[in-house]
Amino acid sequence: MASKIKPEQILKTLQVPAVAESVCTGTGWITAVGSVHRDIVSPVDGKKLGEVVFATETEYEAVMKRATQAAAAWKDVPAPRRGEIVRLIGNAFRENKDALGALVSMEMGKSLQEGLGEVQEMIDICDFATGLSRQLYGLTMHSERPGHRMYEQWHPLGVVGVISAFNFPVAVWSWNAMIAAVCGNATIWKPSEKTPLSAVAVMQLVARVMKENSLPEGLFTLVNGDYRIGQALAADPRVAMVSATGSTRMGKAVSETVARRLGKSLLELGGNNAIIITRNADLDLALRAVIFGAVGTAGQRCTSTRRVIIHESVYETFKERLLKAYGQLRIGSPLDENNHIGPLIDRQAVENYVRALIHLKKEGGNVIYGGNVLEGKGYEGGCYVEPAVCEAMNHYQIVQEETFAPILYLLKFNELSEAIAMQNDVKQGLSSAIFTTDLREAELYLSAGGSDCGIANVNIGTSGAEIGGAFGGEKETGGGRESGSDSWKAYMRRQTNTINYSTSLPLAQGIRFDI
């Protein structure tokens, strides 16, 4: 399979030039003058995929002007018509799924199946948003005053900024941009500087739809650049809401900046996700869930499984089966569908992986499988590592942290209350899971005294959320919610309306004010 995928052909198919401009206004590209050129190197083989020109403040201002104008026009377009445009964008993704999925895999390093799955997420969210465009419901309330009617409605925010991370180069943008679009907003996208070519390819497809439908320039915009573009979005009062995905450190900086101007922020930050395996667990199911959760995307998902908390009665049995399964994992080019695990995003990520294992050993933990950096033929680029399985204690500092790499910590428990306390005893609160066939254990886990995460699953893993549910977490994960359910409300402002159709003017709470 790997030999059939040619990077140059994929880039040509998606109309990604050898030197990509930094800024797309939705219908055209702005040439950045005097900007930094960044080489984009694939972690798959260390070879250059292309170049991207980084934007300056001048290009940012040009984009902001267009986005502000587009938002003013777009809010007056009926929501179902906005949904129709999103449907057409989804069709463009559908028609180019194979090429776009391959580019995501080449640029980020996730398996080809996961790259295709990421594009499918974009298609799915477009379908969801299209239906949502006819369901932006408000409530009606009974007034305490005679001859009065009360209701609420939702209006667009204006301009929404989207800062996305390298591990999902395109999907997370679509969660925000497609929902924001049907809600009547324009979006400015600042993608990860590590994976900008995938963003360029997406905007080429979006631009085609915009031109064919004579949409206002600036409705969907892209600004490739470094952290300074993110800072500009966070500080700009013209940006009504900033949705930021990334590290907790980055999220805190964005949140503080946005809060100083009393703007809105939606944060999707770190995860330190655990699976609890009780004595009543189906170990076959649990094994498959743990492996994919721990090694999928080479452990570079915010929902990756970092900790497995195992009942002492099944601990040795599960550990033995886990190590045997790890021994069957194949590491190599993610473009080869025979492989399970691709590379980390870059050499800095490899250094973080090595540093974490050294730290673990200093604290008293043991690496019982893997833990090596891979070199030689088939591992070109210097970004391949063996997934590591470790025995540790939950209170270790390194276990308390999120290491964006395939490192799995095995922990032991006796009582379920102890396991839940261990799971919750970290700063992050994104995704969690329990494996049990005991209804009482499952319900306790899902109760108010159970998992404190934004996502809590029973008999499925921590990774691989569907777009129909609200996605996000608590504590240092940021508290944001994206994608499904009623997450659309974050992209709109609520307005309460009262209409007096009587000939008198009674006041609420029975207050009398006679003149």
Side-chain angles (χ1 to χ4, degrees):
M1 184 67 183
S3 61
K4 297 180 181 179
I5 297 178
K6 305 296 184 183
E8 61 275 12
Q9 184 58 49
I10 294 297
L11 293 167
K12 182 179 179 181
T13 298
L14 294 170
Q15 299 181 356
V16 177
V19 181
E21 294 293 348
S22 57
V23 176
C24 180
T25 62
T27 56
W29 293 83
I30 295 177
T31 301
V33 179
S35 295
V36 174
H37 286 234
R38 175 168 179 144
D39 289 345
I40 306 304
V41 176
S42 172
V44 175
D45 55 12
K47 294 181 180 178
K48 180 179 174 180
L49 288 174
E51 291 180 36
V52 172
V53 184
F54 275 8
T56 65
E57 291 182 4
T58 300
E59 289 82 45
Y60 173 82
E61 281 300 320
V63 165
M64 180 56 66
K65 180 179 179 180
R66 289 168 171 81
T68 302
Q69 293 171 342
W74 187 241
K75 66 181 174 61
D76 293 327
V77 175
R81 171 58 181 162
R82 301 195 294 247
E84 171 63 12
I85 296 302
V86 168
R87 185 186 70 81
L88 295 174
I89 292 174
N91 285 345
F93 296 153
R94 187 176 280 109
E95 293 164 4
N96 292 273
K97 177 180 175 178
D98 289 347
L100 190 52
L103 177 56
V104 168
S105 182
M106 289 188 297
E107 187 176 32
M108 185 269 152
K110 64 175 60 178
S111 73
L112 181 59
Q113 280 298 309
E114 291 185 79
L116 294 171
E118 181 166 351
V119 180
Q120 187 62 49
E121 279 195 59
M122 301 174 74
I123 296 167
D124 291 345
I125 201 67
C126 287
D127 289 346
F128 179 88
T130 300
L132 177 65
S133 67
R134 295 179 182 270
Q135 301 178 72
L136 302 175
Y137 300 132
L139 298 174
T140 60
M141 290 77 74
H142 289 280
S143 174
E144 67 184 61
R145 292 168 283 185
H148 287 60
R149 180 167 71 87
M150 295 179 65
Y151 69 98
E152 68 179 21
Q153 58 181 330
W154 296 82
H155 295 301
L157 291 175
V159 177
V160 171
V162 181
I163 302 172
S164 61
F166 76 85
N167 59 332
F168 280 85
V170 294
V172 172
W173 164 80
S174 69
W175 291 1
N176 288 274
M178 298 302 104
I179 302 296
V182 298
C183 289
N185 304 296
T187 54
I188 298 177
W189 181 17
K190 191 276 179 197
S192 168
E193 55 196 88
K194 295 181 180 182
T195 53
L197 296 181
S198 296
V200 170
V202 165
M203 288 305 298
Q204 291 282 35
L205 298 174
V206 172
R208 187 184 73 192
V209 174
M210 292 184 65
K211 289 177 182 178
E212 290 172 352
N213 290 274
S214 302
L215 296 178
E217 185 182 26
L219 181 57
F220 297 100
T221 53
L222 168 72
V223 184
N224 272 313
D226 58 21
Y227 68 94
R228 286 171 289 191
I229 299 299
Q231 288 178 335
L233 283 171
D236 198 329
R238 294 168 293 183
V239 181
M241 197 256 286
V242 177
S243 175
T245 302
S247 68
T248 296
R249 180 184 58 80
M250 179 276 290
K252 287 181 177 180
V254 169
S255 179
E256 290 171 4
T257 302
V258 174
R260 278 196 293 270
R261 59 179 176 86
L262 297 181
K264 297 178 65 176
S265 59
L266 191 165
L267 304 175
E268 297 290 354
L269 311 176
N272 194 345
N273 316 294
I275 292 178
I276 295 174
I277 300 176
T278 78
R279 70 173 79 199
N280 299 302
D282 181 330
L283 296 186
D284 290 332
L285 281 181
L287 183 65
R288 293 198 293 272
V290 167
I291 293 173
F292 177 73
V295 307
T297 322
Q300 297 172 113
R301 291 184 177 219
C302 53
T303 55
S304 289
T305 305
R306 310 283 177 203
R307 299 171 294 145
V308 187
I309 305 170
I310 311 165
H311 191 270
E312 59 185 12
S313 66
V314 295
Y315 182 89
E316 292 299 330
T317 298
F318 187 81
K319 181 176 75 171
E320 181 180 347
R321 294 185 61 181
L322 182 68
L323 296 180
K324 182 178 179 181
Y326 262 61
Q328 298 171 358
L329 294 172
R330 292 183 294 275
I331 308 168
S333 170
L335 303 177
D336 184 343
E337 293 187 275
N338 291 314
N339 291 326
H340 299 104
I341 308 170
L344 294 175
I345 184 64
D346 54 26
R347 297 194 180 202
Q348 180 62 55
V350 174
E351 291 175 11
N352 292 340
Y353 162 88
V354 172
R355 191 179 300 114
L357 295 178
I358 292 172
H359 195 154
L360 171 76
K361 294 172 184 177
K362 288 182 178 178
E363 290 194 83
N366 297 309
V367 178
I368 59 175
Y369 183 90
N372 298 305
V373 177
L374 300 175
E375 299 175 344
K377 186 176 181 180
Y379 305 123
E380 290 83 2
C383 297
Y384 291 87
V385 301
E386 282 184 315
V389 179
C390 311
E391 290 186 305
M393 300 294 287
N394 200 58
H395 66 267
Y396 290 174
Q397 181 183 344
I398 194 61
V399 176
Q400 293 282 312
E401 297 174 0
E402 178 192 41
T403 302
F404 233 46
I407 300 175
L408 184 66
Y409 302 112
L410 305 186
L411 313 169
K412 192 182 296 185
F413 79 94
N414 180 261
E415 297 293 335
L416 182 56
S417 59
E418 174 193 2
I420 293 173
M422 290 169 64
Q423 178 205 279
N424 294 344
D425 188 26
V426 292
K427 294 179 180 179
Q428 310 85 353
L430 178 53
S431 188
S432 59
I434 188 171
F435 278 81
T436 180
T437 56
D438 186 311
L439 180 62
R440 291 177 177 175
E441 289 181 334
E443 290 294 340
L444 176 62
Y445 183 74
L446 299 176
S447 71
S451 172
D452 67 358
C453 295
I455 299 170
N457 298 326
V458 176
N459 293 331
I460 64 170
T462 61
S463 211
E466 298 181 31
I467 60 94
F471 181 89
E474 303 302 320
K475 301 188 293 189
E476 287 199 353
T477 300
R481 292 297 185 276
E482 295 173 326
S483 191
S485 185
D486 65 349
S487 299
W488 61 270
K489 294 179 179 179
Y491 305 89
M492 304 194 83
R493 59 181 177 87
R494 187 196 307 253
Q495 185 181 79
T496 300
N497 307 111
T498 305
I499 299 173
N500 178 6
Y501 58 90
S502 73
T503 58
S504 61
L505 191 65
L507 299 176
Q509 293 84 46
I511 295 172
R512 297 186 62 180
F513 187 77
D514 297 327
I515 298 178

